[in-house]
Amino acid sequence: MKSLVIYFSRIDENYFGGAMRYITKGNTEVVAEEIRDITGADLFKVERKIDYAKDYRTCIEEAKIEQRNGELPELKNYLDDISNYDVIFIGGPIYWGTLPQPMFTLLSRLNFDGKVIMPFSTHEGSGLASIVRDIKKYAPNATIKSGLAIVGSNVYQSKDKVEKWIKENL
Ligand SMILES: Cc1cc2nc3c(=O)[nH]c(=O)nc-3n(C[C@H](O)[C@H](O)[C@H](O)COP(=O)(O)O)c2cc1C
């Protein structure tokens, strides 16, 4: 089975259980790389053409407005064909209760018919929030497996959880 991980992840300033910190690798990217190490999946990182602000508060506002307006922002690179893949891991940070809008820019361009989708999130309390329901809108004819939610500040201790989730669902 050939697998692909489609994910969004942001560097720069982020919030970790009460403190702000600048990071050079995003939380979701850590989980995406663990999935790659476990399954041999290819990685596709969704990047907004114009990055969100580096400072956390401004980013929060940008993401809120973008989501409220239902914007599908342009991306740096696109992926057009996923026909070679059987399993697609779809993940990102929870932004205001769902995936960041750039993820939906990409999902809206792809055909997931017949694919197996493994949804995952990193978050600071919302779990999977509504990502499974929202992914379903773009993948009505896919099999969506039960999702995995990892607290962002715990990503470096998450490998066992990721491994177990994959073992139980694939
Ligand atoms: C714009 C924005 C909105 C967020 N909204 C939520 C939220 O609704 N619920 C939640 O639990 N965490 C929220 N977070 C926290 C992130 O989901 C969490 O820090 C995540 O691990 C970041 O992943 P990343 O480093 O891969 O970008 C938000 C963070 C940002 C920057």
PDB file of all heavy atoms in Angstrom, residues 114-134:
ATOM      1  N   GLY A 114     -12.547   6.426  -3.286  1.00  0.00           N
ATOM      2  CA  GLY A 114     -11.935   5.106  -3.097  1.00  0.00           C
ATOM      3  C   GLY A 114     -10.703   5.095  -2.207  1.00  0.00           C
ATOM      4  O   GLY A 114     -10.129   4.031  -1.961  1.00  0.00           O
ATOM      5  N   LYS A 115     -10.271   6.257  -1.734  1.00  0.00           N
ATOM      6  CA  LYS A 115      -9.062   6.295  -0.893  1.00  0.00           C
ATOM      7  C   LYS A 115      -9.419   5.994   0.570  1.00  0.00           C
ATOM      8  O   LYS A 115     -10.558   6.199   1.002  1.00  0.00           O
ATOM      9  CB  LYS A 115      -8.405   7.688  -0.920  1.00  0.00           C
ATOM     10  CG  LYS A 115      -8.079   8.204  -2.304  1.00  0.00           C
ATOM     11  CD  LYS A 115      -7.005   7.395  -2.975  1.00  0.00           C
ATOM     12  CE  LYS A 115      -6.689   7.957  -4.347  1.00  0.00           C
ATOM     13  NZ  LYS A 115      -5.904   7.016  -5.168  1.00  0.00           N
ATOM     14  N   VAL A 116      -8.401   5.568   1.302  1.00  0.00           N
ATOM     15  CA  VAL A 116      -8.526   5.460   2.756  1.00  0.00           C
ATOM     16  C   VAL A 116      -7.871   6.701   3.343  1.00  0.00           C
ATOM     17  O   VAL A 116      -6.729   7.025   3.010  1.00  0.00           O
ATOM     18  CB  VAL A 116      -7.826   4.186   3.270  1.00  0.00           C
ATOM     19  CG1 VAL A 116      -7.743   4.193   4.793  1.00  0.00           C
ATOM     20  CG2 VAL A 116      -8.562   2.949   2.781  1.00  0.00           C
ATOM     21  N   ILE A 117      -8.607   7.408   4.190  1.00  0.00           N
ATOM     22  CA  ILE A 117      -8.075   8.646   4.785  1.00  0.00           C
ATOM     23  C   ILE A 117      -7.865   8.451   6.284  1.00  0.00           C
ATOM     24  O   ILE A 117      -8.740   7.950   6.994  1.00  0.00           O
ATOM     25  CB  ILE A 117      -9.025   9.831   4.529  1.00  0.00           C
ATOM     26  CG1 ILE A 117      -9.058  10.139   3.031  1.00  0.00           C
ATOM     27  CG2 ILE A 117      -8.576  11.070   5.322  1.00  0.00           C
ATOM     28  CD1 ILE A 117      -9.973  11.285   2.642  1.00  0.00           C
ATOM     29  N   MET A 118      -6.688   8.849   6.745  1.00  0.00           N
ATOM     30  CA  MET A 118      -6.338   8.795   8.177  1.00  0.00           C
ATOM     31  C   MET A 118      -6.173  10.244   8.658  1.00  0.00           C
ATOM     32  O   MET A 118      -5.150  10.872   8.406  1.00  0.00           O
ATOM     33  CB  MET A 118      -5.019   8.031   8.345  1.00  0.00           C
ATOM     34  CG  MET A 118      -5.069   6.572   7.914  1.00  0.00           C
ATOM     35  SD  MET A 118      -5.717   5.503   9.215  1.00  0.00           S
ATOM     36  CE  MET A 118      -4.309   5.398  10.330  1.00  0.00           C
ATOM     37  N   PRO A 119      -7.195  10.785   9.353  1.00  0.00           N
ATOM     38  CA  PRO A 119      -7.115  12.187   9.781  1.00  0.00           C
ATOM     39  C   PRO A 119      -6.347  12.341  11.097  1.00  0.00           C
ATOM     40  O   PRO A 119      -6.484  11.509  11.988  1.00  0.00           O
ATOM     41  CB  PRO A 119      -8.585  12.577  10.012  1.00  0.00           C
ATOM     42  CG  PRO A 119      -9.387  11.330   9.882  1.00  0.00           C
ATOM     43  CD  PRO A 119      -8.478  10.164   9.724  1.00  0.00           C
ATOM     44  N   PHE A 120      -5.566  13.411  11.205  1.00  0.00           N
ATOM     45  CA  PHE A 120      -4.894  13.662  12.487  1.00  0.00           C
ATOM     46  C   PHE A 120      -4.750  15.163  12.723  1.00  0.00           C
ATOM     47  O   PHE A 120      -4.778  15.955  11.796  1.00  0.00           O
ATOM     48  CB  PHE A 120      -3.528  12.958  12.564  1.00  0.00           C
ATOM     49  CG  PHE A 120      -2.477  13.476  11.615  1.00  0.00           C
ATOM     50  CD1 PHE A 120      -1.501  14.358  12.060  1.00  0.00           C
ATOM     51  CD2 PHE A 120      -2.453  13.079  10.287  1.00  0.00           C
ATOM     52  CE1 PHE A 120      -0.504  14.828  11.205  1.00  0.00           C
ATOM     53  CE2 PHE A 120      -1.470  13.548   9.411  1.00  0.00           C
ATOM     54  CZ  PHE A 120      -0.494  14.421   9.876  1.00  0.00           C
ATOM     55  N   SER A 121      -4.631  15.496  14.012  1.00  0.00           N
ATOM     56  CA  SER A 121      -4.474  16.906  14.364  1.00  0.00           C
ATOM     57  C   SER A 121      -3.427  17.055  15.447  1.00  0.00           C
ATOM     58  O   SER A 121      -3.125  16.106  16.175  1.00  0.00           O
ATOM     59  CB  SER A 121      -5.793  17.476  14.902  1.00  0.00           C
ATOM     60  OG  SER A 121      -6.016  17.025  16.230  1.00  0.00           O
ATOM     61  N   THR A 122      -2.871  18.264  15.543  1.00  0.00           N
ATOM     62  CA  THR A 122      -2.226  18.684  16.790  1.00  0.00           C
ATOM     63  C   THR A 122      -3.004  19.893  17.280  1.00  0.00           C
ATOM     64  O   THR A 122      -3.613  20.611  16.485  1.00  0.00           O
ATOM     65  CB  THR A 122      -0.721  19.007  16.637  1.00  0.00           C
ATOM     66  OG1 THR A 122      -0.562  20.203  15.881  1.00  0.00           O
ATOM     67  CG2 THR A 122       0.034  17.867  15.964  1.00  0.00           C
ATOM     68  N   HIS A 123      -3.026  20.093  18.576  1.00  0.00           N
ATOM     69  CA  HIS A 123      -3.965  21.071  19.145  1.00  0.00           C
ATOM     70  C   HIS A 123      -3.526  21.461  20.547  1.00  0.00           C
ATOM     71  O   HIS A 123      -2.580  20.892  21.098  1.00  0.00           O
ATOM     72  CB  HIS A 123      -5.362  20.442  19.191  1.00  0.00           C
ATOM     73  CG  HIS A 123      -5.425  19.276  20.125  1.00  0.00           C
ATOM     74  ND1 HIS A 123      -5.870  19.387  21.421  1.00  0.00           N
ATOM     75  CD2 HIS A 123      -5.038  17.982  19.983  1.00  0.00           C
ATOM     76  CE1 HIS A 123      -5.778  18.206  22.024  1.00  0.00           C
ATOM     77  NE2 HIS A 123      -5.273  17.343  21.175  1.00  0.00           N
ATOM     78  N   GLU A 124      -4.234  22.417  21.124  1.00  0.00           N
ATOM     79  CA  GLU A 124      -3.976  22.791  22.522  1.00  0.00           C
ATOM     80  C   GLU A 124      -5.234  22.615  23.357  1.00  0.00           C
ATOM     81  O   GLU A 124      -5.507  23.409  24.252  1.00  0.00           O
ATOM     82  CB  GLU A 124      -3.435  24.225  22.606  1.00  0.00           C
ATOM     83  CG  GLU A 124      -1.942  24.350  22.310  1.00  0.00           C
ATOM     84  CD  GLU A 124      -1.047  23.587  23.306  1.00  0.00           C
ATOM     85  OE1 GLU A 124      -1.388  23.544  24.505  1.00  0.00           O
ATOM     86  OE2 GLU A 124      -0.034  23.028  22.872  1.00  0.00           O
ATOM     87  N   GLY A 125      -6.044  21.634  23.033  1.00  0.00           N
ATOM     88  CA  GLY A 125      -7.221  21.373  23.861  1.00  0.00           C
ATOM     89  C   GLY A 125      -8.459  20.943  23.089  1.00  0.00           C
ATOM     90  O   GLY A 125      -9.356  20.346  23.656  1.00  0.00           O
ATOM     91  N   SER A 126      -8.510  21.231  21.792  1.00  0.00           N
ATOM     92  CA  SER A 126      -9.722  20.942  21.016  1.00  0.00           C
ATOM     93  C   SER A 126      -9.782  19.530  20.440  1.00  0.00           C
ATOM     94  O   SER A 126     -10.776  19.167  19.817  1.00  0.00           O
ATOM     95  CB  SER A 126      -9.856  21.928  19.858  1.00  0.00           C
ATOM     96  OG  SER A 126      -9.984  23.233  20.326  1.00  0.00           O
ATOM     97  N   GLY A 127      -8.727  18.760  20.582  1.00  0.00           N
ATOM     98  CA  GLY A 127      -8.739  17.395  20.040  1.00  0.00           C
ATOM     99  C   GLY A 127      -8.810  17.420  18.522  1.00  0.00           C
ATOM    100  O   GLY A 127      -8.084  18.156  17.867  1.00  0.00           O
ATOM    101  N   LEU A 128      -9.722  16.630  17.977  1.00  0.00           N
ATOM    102  CA  LEU A 128      -9.893  16.624  16.510  1.00  0.00           C
ATOM    103  C   LEU A 128     -10.842  17.731  16.066  1.00  0.00           C
ATOM    104  O   LEU A 128     -10.949  18.012  14.870  1.00  0.00           O
ATOM    105  CB  LEU A 128     -10.449  15.280  16.045  1.00  0.00           C
ATOM    106  CG  LEU A 128      -9.478  14.107  16.060  1.00  0.00           C
ATOM    107  CD1 LEU A 128     -10.244  12.791  15.948  1.00  0.00           C
ATOM    108  CD2 LEU A 128      -8.463  14.215  14.924  1.00  0.00           C
ATOM    109  N   ALA A 129     -11.546  18.341  17.040  1.00  0.00           N
ATOM    110  CA  ALA A 129     -12.540  19.377  16.726  1.00  0.00           C
ATOM    111  C   ALA A 129     -13.408  18.887  15.559  1.00  0.00           C
ATOM    112  O   ALA A 129     -13.858  17.740  15.587  1.00  0.00           O
ATOM    113  CB  ALA A 129     -11.846  20.695  16.453  1.00  0.00           C
ATOM    114  N   SER A 130     -13.605  19.688  14.514  1.00  0.00           N
ATOM    115  CA  SER A 130     -14.514  19.214  13.450  1.00  0.00           C
ATOM    116  C   SER A 130     -13.779  18.775  12.191  1.00  0.00           C
ATOM    117  O   SER A 130     -14.348  18.768  11.104  1.00  0.00           O
ATOM    118  CB  SER A 130     -15.556  20.282  13.132  1.00  0.00           C
ATOM    119  OG  SER A 130     -14.918  21.387  12.552  1.00  0.00           O
ATOM    120  N   ILE A 131     -12.503  18.379  12.338  1.00  0.00           N
ATOM    121  CA  ILE A 131     -11.765  18.099  11.095  1.00  0.00           C
ATOM    122  C   ILE A 131     -12.302  16.889  10.335  1.00  0.00           C
ATOM    123  O   ILE A 131     -12.279  16.881   9.112  1.00  0.00           O
ATOM    124  CB  ILE A 131     -10.228  17.985  11.292  1.00  0.00           C
ATOM    125  CG1 ILE A 131      -9.798  16.680  11.931  1.00  0.00           C
ATOM    126  CG2 ILE A 131      -9.660  19.165  12.042  1.00  0.00           C
ATOM    127  CD1 ILE A 131      -8.290  16.476  11.811  1.00  0.00           C
ATOM    128  N   VAL A 132     -12.797  15.874  11.055  1.00  0.00           N
ATOM    129  CA  VAL A 132     -13.266  14.688  10.327  1.00  0.00           C
ATOM    130  C   VAL A 132     -14.479  15.052   9.471  1.00  0.00           C
ATOM    131  O   VAL A 132     -14.546  14.719   8.272  1.00  0.00           O
ATOM    132  CB  VAL A 132     -13.582  13.531  11.304  1.00  0.00           C
ATOM    133  CG1 VAL A 132     -14.182  12.350  10.567  1.00  0.00           C
ATOM    134  CG2 VAL A 132     -12.312  13.109  12.049  1.00  0.00           C
ATOM    135  N   ARG A 133     -15.396  15.784  10.072  1.00  0.00           N
ATOM    136  CA  ARG A 133     -16.587  16.207   9.333  1.00  0.00           C
ATOM    137  C   ARG A 133     -16.203  17.107   8.151  1.00  0.00           C
ATOM    138  O   ARG A 133     -16.753  16.999   7.054  1.00  0.00           O
ATOM    139  CB  ARG A 133     -17.504  16.978  10.288  1.00  0.00           C
ATOM    140  CG  ARG A 133     -18.901  17.148   9.787  1.00  0.00           C
ATOM    141  CD  ARG A 133     -19.807  17.761  10.838  1.00  0.00           C
ATOM    142  NE  ARG A 133     -19.410  19.128  11.168  1.00  0.00           N
ATOM    143  CZ  ARG A 133     -19.365  19.623  12.393  1.00  0.00           C
ATOM    144  NH1 ARG A 133     -19.658  18.867  13.443  1.00  0.00           N
ATOM    145  NH2 ARG A 133     -19.028  20.875  12.607  1.00  0.00           N
ATOM    146  N   ASP A 134     -15.223  17.962   8.354  1.00  0.00           N
ATOM    147  CA  ASP A 134     -14.844  18.893   7.293  1.00  0.00           C
ATOM    148  C   ASP A 134     -14.079  18.193   6.169  1.00  0.00           C
ATOM    149  O   ASP A 134     -14.250  18.521   4.998  1.00  0.00           O
ATOM    150  CB  ASP A 134     -14.047  20.064   7.882  1.00  0.00           C
ATOM    151  CG  ASP A 134     -14.944  20.924   8.773  1.00  0.00           C
ATOM    152  OD1 ASP A 134     -16.170  20.907   8.579  1.00  0.00           O
ATOM    153  OD2 ASP A 134     -14.420  21.607   9.674  1.00  0.00           O
TER     154      ASP A 134
END
